[in-house]
Amino acid sequence: MKSIARKTVLAGSITGGAAIVAEGAAQPLKHEAFEKGPDHCPSSHPTPRKQGTRFMLHNTNALLIIALVAVLALTACAEAPDSAIATVSPPTPALVAQPAARASGQSLASAQSALPLMIVSKSPSCGCCQLWVEHMQEAGFTVEVVNTDDMGPIKQRVSVPYGKGSCHTAEVDGYFVEGHVPAIDIKRLLTERPKGKGLVVPGMPAGSPGMEMPDGRVQPYVVEFVADDGSTSTFARHGD
């Protein structure tokens, strides 16, 4: 209501001021002495000097009215309520995307933290074993490396079948993993949790994790599942 009243007063002031200025411009300065000529100018009439002074005062009043109208207009604009001009900016895409990105990062961290610790025993001089460890780490596993030059006792302890051995042996959540088994197969093993001892990839197939070829070639190989009795069966195939 205050805003409407202020605008009404401003409109009235502008209209009134314009009317006064127009009236002043439309009515030229008249004097009986000038209409009748200098011979009929009585001594009591204003002199030309006084008439010039009145003309200047009249113009000064008109300028003051115009200035007052301008000041009132500026004041009305400056005092406009914030609610009339306030706008609500929509959230930026970056701010909207942050919760989704944060949730995605938390999900990834939760998935990685859910994977059990993997202990890898290997020869300290085995380069392909180290590459396989890095493959496991990239897949989200936390890996503890045990370097040893005597791998025989470790393979016997976890029951790696004769003729199925490779260069490194891993232990994870009650299973053993022998050789260059892909991380995807280990995650499947931990999800399905079949009754048995673990997985093996005999030898060192070209193109398997840690044995990647420069041309990307993958030699067909089989990941085998080792049952409690030491028998093996096909768990996964790669490179076919």
Side-chain angles (χ1 to χ4, degrees):
M1 294 298 292
K2 290 183 179 180
S3 175
I4 296 175
R6 188 182 293 110
K7 291 181 181 178
T8 304
V9 172
L10 175 59
S13 299
I14 293 174
T15 304
I20 294 173
V21 174
E23 181 182 358
Q27 294 182 2
L29 182 64
K30 294 183 179 180
H31 199 281
E32 184 180 359
F34 289 98
E35 292 178 354
K36 294 182 179 182
D39 295 338
H40 297 85
C41 180
S43 59
S44 61
H45 289 171
T47 63
R49 182 176 181 181
K50 291 182 179 181
Q51 291 174 356
T53 301
R54 289 182 178 180
F55 181 77
M56 293 177 63
L57 290 174
H58 185 78
N59 289 344
T60 301
N61 290 337
L63 292 175
L64 288 175
I65 292 172
I66 294 173
L68 178 60
V69 171
V71 169
L72 289 174
L74 293 175
T75 303
C77 294
E79 293 180 354
D82 293 340
S83 59
I85 60 175
T87 57
V88 179
S89 300
T92 61
L95 294 178
V96 173
Q98 284 179 0
R102 189 179 300 112
S104 177
Q106 290 175 349
S107 298
L108 179 59
S110 299
Q112 292 183 351
S113 63
L115 294 173
L117 173 67
M118 178 181 291
I119 301 175
V120 179
S121 299
K122 69 178 188 64
S123 169
S125 60
C126 181
C128 65
C129 298
Q130 181 58 39
L131 292 176
W132 186 82
V133 168
E134 293 174 3
H135 170 71
M136 292 298 113
Q137 292 171 331
E138 290 172 359
F141 285 95
T142 300
V143 181
E144 178 181 326
V145 176
V146 177
N147 288 313
T148 177
D149 291 323
D150 190 4
M151 292 292 298
I154 296 173
K155 296 181 187 298
Q156 291 177 3
R157 176 174 57 81
V158 299
S159 302
V160 174
Y162 179 78
K164 302 292 185 178
S166 184
C167 51
H168 58 266
T169 302
E171 299 173 74
V172 54
D173 202 20
Y175 294 101
F176 74 80
V177 178
E178 181 71 11
H180 294 268
V181 179
I184 188 173
D185 294 332
I186 299 174
K187 290 182 178 180
R188 176 188 157 197
L189 174 72
L190 297 176
T191 300
E192 297 179 359
R193 300 203 63 84
K195 182 176 174 54
K197 294 182 179 289
L199 301 176
V200 297
V201 171
M204 294 181 290
S208 60
M211 291 292 296
E212 290 85 355
M213 303 297 290
D215 60 0
R217 179 172 54 89
V218 178
Q219 173 188 342
Y221 65 95
V222 176
V223 177
E224 301 178 35
F225 177 72
V226 181
D228 286 334
D229 60 2
S231 62
T232 61
S233 60
T234 300
F235 187 79
R237 293 181 179 272
H238 298 277
D240 291 339

